[in-house]
Amino acid sequence: MSWQPGQVDDLQQILTLLRQSQSPDTQIQRQVQARLESLNQYPDFNKYLVYILTKLLDEQEATRSLSGLILKNNAKSHYEKFPDDVRSYIKQECISALGDRSPLIRATVGILITTIVTKGSLEQWPTLLEHLYSCLDSPDVNLCEGAFGALQKVCEDSADQLENAPSQPLNVLIPKFIQFFLHSHPKIRSHAIACVNEFITPRATALMSNIDLFLENLFQLANDTDSDVRKHVCRALVMLIEVRIERLIPHMQQIIEYMLLTSQDADDTVALEACEFWLMIADQPICRDVLQPYLDKLLPILCKNMKYSEIDVIILQGDIDEDEHIPDRIEDIRPRFHRARTRQHAPNLLDDNDGTSQPNNATDTNNNSTPANSQTDQHLQHDDDEDDDDDDESGVSTDQATEWNLRKCSAAALDILSNVFRETILPILLPILREMLFHSDWQIKESGILVLGAIAEGCTYGLTPHLPDLVDYLIKCLNDKKPLVRSITCWTLSRYSTWVVHNEVEQNKFLIPLMS
């Protein structure tokens, strides 16, 4: 007989705490947190949590999900100390709730399952994969989606376990995932591609032996109506550029045209994944040959994508005019470029001074953990509050910069492509730049200044005849009423500082005003 709560009062006490923890009052939250932590001394507490998550169908979803997330945190901290009967009950109830009617509860169950697999091992839950696999063919869409959601999380967190398991489960799972690329339900299609994508970079044997079927079904989803599906298709193609480019070369023209279209997708998350393609292809020997015919289409797209999004403008308070009346915060006045001495390059495009800091998980375009090898990608980051004493890279605090986005990726792509094609791109870019720099919309003007900075290294020779006018224009922009325009102007001028300093004829005109 399955476990049942021993005391109704105990169950109600935990439910009350879970409800109170959602209070906006921080004092109440702290009190509830302390009480919940004290309950960990009782072995059955975790049984109560999974019972609330999976059995109390009439309870509010938020309370049920919170119960599951607290259990997840407990498992993450001390799963190895859970008694065997508690572990067995949790696993049993997770399996029973895979098809819950609530997407939130199904997602929470999936998180709990992958946490247990990560803290233990697949060998300690030998029936899990077989059960999840069997659920994929269920006519109950909720059960199929719940099983796929759990599988996706396990693939993300335990890809090595799956690939190295003695039973070789990927030999069965990957063909099954590929089959579901064409499922009628978009959420399931999305899960299926995401599962397979986890095994592209590690070149899993089971995937490489099914690569033709994978590509065939992937190409059929290129114009899928679901944005998550399109996002995963783009991500797959970007990773394949690195690991199996020879399989893509016969289709390269269609892929480039697809990425040009998708880089302009109405959904920025899709456009961002597509834009990663230009970073990745720029690092390949075939770049010049395959992209040359498309530069007149690609470069305007990248320039357009470098405009701040509306949400960025709000976060960065960029629509404020003169801001002298607003007190500077400590993070506002912290040195932005002090780490330049540890770099081979000048301060670069992705310092959060221009709102373009790079993520830790950006696509690897240079066979290491750093994106494409341009100044745009080798960004300097702000100090963490506690890590000012060394010269290691540190994280960007959330109140200083937004995450890796379409603007940053497009700027990085333009930077590295300008290093590939050099001055040959200027006949395309200069008319675009002229329009952007003198546009009445300050956001377009600001992005034009960013474009000018992005191409500083790659197009130096071709830009030299234009620099007297451009630097004069930029110095005037230092007095722009928009703080973000002044900020990006400072950065772009730093990219041309060598020319300013060494141009002795024009020093009185440029260097002295710039230093002032």
Side-chain angles (χ1 to χ4, degrees):
M1 182 177 176
S2 182
W3 179 87
Q4 295 290 323
Q7 297 289 335
V8 174
D9 288 348
D10 291 343
L11 178 62
Q12 289 304 318
Q13 180 185 10
I14 295 171
L15 280 170
T16 299
L17 287 172
L18 292 173
R19 292 165 187 153
Q20 288 177 341
S21 71
Q22 299 167 59
S23 166
D25 188 319
T26 54
Q27 182 64 30
I28 292 176
Q29 289 177 11
R30 282 194 289 268
Q31 292 171 355
V32 170
Q33 178 69 19
R35 182 71 183 115
L36 287 170
E37 287 180 2
S38 71
L39 291 175
N40 274 316
Q41 63 185 297
Y42 301 103
D44 275 2
F45 176 53
N46 290 307
K47 286 186 176 180
Y48 278 99
L49 290 176
V50 77
Y51 182 87
I52 292 168
L53 170 67
T54 62
K55 297 297 189 189
L56 298 190
L57 304 185
D58 293 330
E59 184 60 47
Q60 288 188 352
E61 286 183 4
T63 301
R64 293 175 62 197
S65 177
L66 178 60
S67 181
L69 293 176
I70 292 171
L71 175 56
K72 181 266 294 185
N73 288 334
N74 289 345
K76 198 171 182 179
S77 299
H78 38 77
Y79 181 73
E80 66 281 354
K81 297 179 182 177
F82 284 10
D84 288 344
D85 65 309
V86 174
R87 294 191 195 187
S88 297
Y89 181 69
I90 292 172
K91 291 175 181 177
Q92 166 194 311
E93 292 308 304
C94 283
I95 293 297
S96 73
L98 281 169
D100 194 278
R101 65 195 179 196
S102 162
L104 176 61
I105 301 305
R106 295 198 298 271
T108 307
V109 168
I111 291 170
L112 188 51
I113 287 173
T114 190
T115 302
I116 293 171
V117 171
T118 303
K119 296 301 294 182
S121 68
L122 287 169
E123 285 74 16
Q124 292 178 21
W125 198 346
T127 60
L128 174 64
L129 292 180
E130 183 178 349
H131 184 83
L132 293 177
Y133 181 90
S134 67
C135 291
L136 299 183
D137 288 320
S138 170
D140 181 349
V141 173
N142 286 342
L143 181 56
C144 178
E145 195 274 324
F148 244 127
L151 279 166
Q152 181 180 338
K153 294 176 177 67
V154 171
C155 289
E156 289 173 358
D157 297 337
S158 305
D160 287 345
Q161 282 198 61
L162 288 166
E163 191 170 0
N164 299 318
S167 59
Q168 296 184 309
L170 292 183
N171 289 343
V172 176
L173 288 173
I174 283 183
K176 190 72 168 179
F177 294 156
I178 294 173
Q179 173 190 331
F180 275 84
F181 282 18
L182 307 180
H183 195 276
S184 60
H185 196 284
K187 187 70 173 175
I188 291 173
R189 295 198 299 274
S190 177
H191 281 316
I193 308 170
C195 285
V196 178
N197 282 357
E198 294 299 324
F199 302 99
I200 295 176
T201 299
R203 296 176 172 88
T205 303
L207 175 57
M208 294 302 110
S209 61
N210 287 279
I211 194 72
D212 290 330
L213 180 60
F214 172 53
L215 288 174
E216 178 185 337
N217 284 14
L218 189 70
F219 288 150
Q220 291 190 54
L221 296 175
N223 297 312
D224 198 279
T225 55
D226 184 80
S227 60
D228 277 341
V229 172
R230 297 196 305 277
K231 179 172 66 177
H232 290 306
V233 169
C234 290
R235 187 173 296 170
L237 291 171
V238 169
M239 289 188 287
L240 285 166
I241 285 290
E242 182 181 18
V243 303
R244 293 301 298 269
I245 192 170
E246 78 281 358
R247 306 308 291 263
L248 298 185
I249 287 176
H251 312 282
M252 192 57 71
Q253 179 180 346
Q254 295 94 319
I255 291 172
I256 289 173
E257 290 174 354
Y258 173 69
M259 290 299 186
L260 286 169
L261 181 66
T262 316
S263 293
Q264 304 171 78
D265 198 282
D267 186 323
D268 274 3
T269 64
V270 178
L272 172 58
E273 292 295 340
C275 200
E276 297 278 4
F277 177 83
W278 313 116
L279 277 174
M280 183 65 78
I281 196 73
D283 206 41
Q284 303 298 322
I286 65 169
C287 174
R288 182 178 291 275
D289 291 337
V290 299
L291 286 191
Q292 183 73 54
Y294 298 96
L295 290 177
D296 61 335
K297 295 179 181 177
L298 172 59
L299 297 178
I301 292 171
L302 294 178
C303 292
K304 183 178 179 182
N305 285 348
M306 287 163 68
K307 178 184 172 184
Y308 272 121
S309 69
E310 295 304 316
I311 189 66
D312 282 338
V313 172
I314 293 170
I315 291 172
L316 297 168
Q317 298 181 323
D319 221 14
I320 298 173
D321 286 348
E322 298 297 345
D323 62 350
E324 291 93 337
H325 64 286
I326 302 175
D328 287 327
R329 301 171 300 170
I330 291 297
E331 57 269 27
D332 291 331
I333 60 177
R334 197 181 279 152
R336 296 179 185 273
F337 298 118
H338 69 287
R339 293 183 187 273
R341 69 183 187 277
T342 68
R343 296 284 188 173
Q344 293 180 344
H345 301 301
N348 58 64
L349 198 55
L350 293 187
D351 186 272
D352 63 277
N353 184 52
D354 57 80
T356 49
S357 301
Q358 180 121 11
N360 292 331
N361 62 344
T363 306
D364 180 348
T365 59
N366 202 24
N367 297 325
N368 55 38
S369 61
T370 308
N373 55 348
S374 69
Q375 291 184 34
T376 298
D377 305 298
Q378 298 171 338
H379 64 292
L380 301 176
Q381 296 178 325
H382 277 292
D383 289 334
D384 280 333
D385 288 340
E386 302 299 328
D387 294 329
D388 289 340
D389 295 329
D390 58 60
D391 284 330
D392 292 331
E393 289 299 322
S394 58
V396 178
S397 63
T398 54
D399 64 340
Q400 291 171 315
T402 53
E403 71 280 2
W404 180 245
N405 57 26
L406 185 59
R407 167 186 165 94
K408 304 169 190 179
C409 188
S410 299
L414 181 60
D415 187 332
I416 192 170
L417 287 172
S418 73
N419 279 276
V420 172
F421 291 97
R422 300 289 175 175
E423 286 73 22
T424 62
I425 64 173
L426 287 180
I428 301 170
L429 275 180
L430 287 178
I432 299 171
L433 259 176
R434 191 175 296 112
E435 180 179 350
M436 296 176 78
L437 293 174
F438 295 98
H439 203 282
S440 58
D441 184 334
W442 75 266
Q443 293 183 52
I444 296 177
K445 174 182 176 180
E446 189 276 345
S447 62
I449 298 171
L450 176 56
V451 169
L452 188 57
I455 63 174
E457 182 185 80
C459 299
T460 300
Y461 181 77
L463 284 172
T464 299
H466 304 279
L467 286 183
D469 290 335
L470 288 172
V471 171
D472 184 58
Y473 168 83
L474 290 171
I475 290 175
K476 291 174 181 174
C477 288
L478 291 174
N479 294 314
D480 195 277
K481 65 181 181 179
K482 296 294 184 183
L484 290 179
V485 172
R486 301 197 300 272
S487 174
I488 193 62
T489 301
C490 288
W491 176 80
T492 296
L493 278 166
S494 78
R495 298 274 278 182
Y496 294 97
S497 58
T498 300
W499 179 88
V500 172
V501 170
H502 291 143
N503 188 351
E504 297 180 3
V505 176
E506 301 283 7
Q507 277 195 357
N508 287 337
K509 184 176 180 181
F510 298 131
L511 180 59
I512 294 173
L514 180 56
M515 293 299 291
S516 299

